[in-house]
Amino acid sequence: MTKPTHTHRAQGGRFEQVDEQMGGGVLEGQLLVIYRDIDKDVTSATTEGDWRQHWRPIAKDDCPVCLGAGHDQIKKAKHQPCGGCFGLGKVKADGEKPADLWQLADVALGIIKRQQHELEQRRQAMALPEVAAALQAEKEARITDSVAHQEQQWRDGKGHGPGGRRYVGD
């Protein structure tokens, strides 16, 4: 049986990346990713951008049953947690599912540590003056766009002028 290498971000499923080739004809100059849907036994191709956006690689510690989703992908029961990882989406570092509550707690602790590390990296990035300046500029642009949009709605709204428009003086 073929081992899946990727899963769809929104719909789940088991996919194997088979090959990458340069496109021809209409897709000239684009890199195409050839993949196989393991469940349906169908081989397809998509552009590299679409592949990176909609599929994600399966990590070594992703649950082999749910492929990291937290619910069983085979039974499509999204309202119930996966039995292989107890809804965490991750298993032990060696790929085996936790045998008892202590091993499950170790898996959960690993998830928490990874999230804390990622959060700390984001905080450090947000502390950079360039990032703060870019965020402030984007916020000011958003406010300006919002005011301009409200002004245009007011101008286009019902008034007492000719044709029901407002007298705006310009």
Side-chain angles (χ1 to χ4, degrees):
M1 180 167 174
T2 306
K3 186 173 180 179
T5 60
H6 290 75
T7 186
H8 196 275
R9 292 184 193 275
Q11 299 163 346
R14 301 177 314 143
F15 300 92
E16 174 193 17
Q17 182 176 355
V18 178
D19 194 16
E20 292 181 357
Q21 294 180 358
M22 291 303 292
V26 178
L27 298 172
E28 185 73 36
Q30 290 190 8
L31 185 64
L32 299 178
V33 176
I34 291 103
Y35 65 93
R36 191 167 80 81
D37 186 338
I38 295 173
D39 298 328
K40 297 176 184 175
D41 197 25
V42 175
T43 302
S44 302
T46 187
T47 61
E48 181 187 24
D50 183 57
W51 178 256
R52 291 186 192 278
Q53 181 180 3
H54 292 107
W55 280 266
R56 69 170 180 81
I58 297 172
K60 183 179 172 185
D61 63 344
D62 280 349
C63 175
V65 177
C66 69
L67 305 176
H71 60 271
D72 196 341
Q73 298 274 330
I74 298 168
K75 296 179 184 174
K76 306 284 185 201
K78 292 188 177 186
H79 62 281
Q80 294 180 338
C82 170
C85 62
F86 303 101
L88 292 176
K90 298 287 185 185
V91 293
K92 296 187 324 185
D94 61 1
E96 296 294 321
K97 75 179 207 174
D100 60 10
L101 292 178
W102 291 108
Q103 290 180 353
L104 183 64
D106 289 339
V107 171
L109 182 63
I111 293 170
I112 292 169
K113 285 183 178 180
R114 279 192 296 270
Q115 289 177 341
Q116 286 176 336
H117 179 69
E118 184 177 328
L119 183 60
E120 185 57 35
Q121 285 180 330
R122 289 180 186 211
R123 283 184 180 149
Q124 289 174 356
M126 295 297 288
L128 295 174
E130 299 87 13
V131 174
L135 288 175
Q136 184 64 26
E138 195 271 331
K139 181 180 177 183
E140 290 171 1
R142 203 172 341 126
I143 290 172
T144 304
D145 291 346
S146 174
V147 170
H149 180 69
Q150 289 174 353
E151 176 74 17
Q152 190 62 43
Q153 282 184 326
W154 179 82
R155 287 175 180 258
D156 292 339
K158 187 153 177 65
H160 301 290
R165 294 188 52 113
R166 296 187 187 276
Y167 287 113
V168 292
D170 46 272

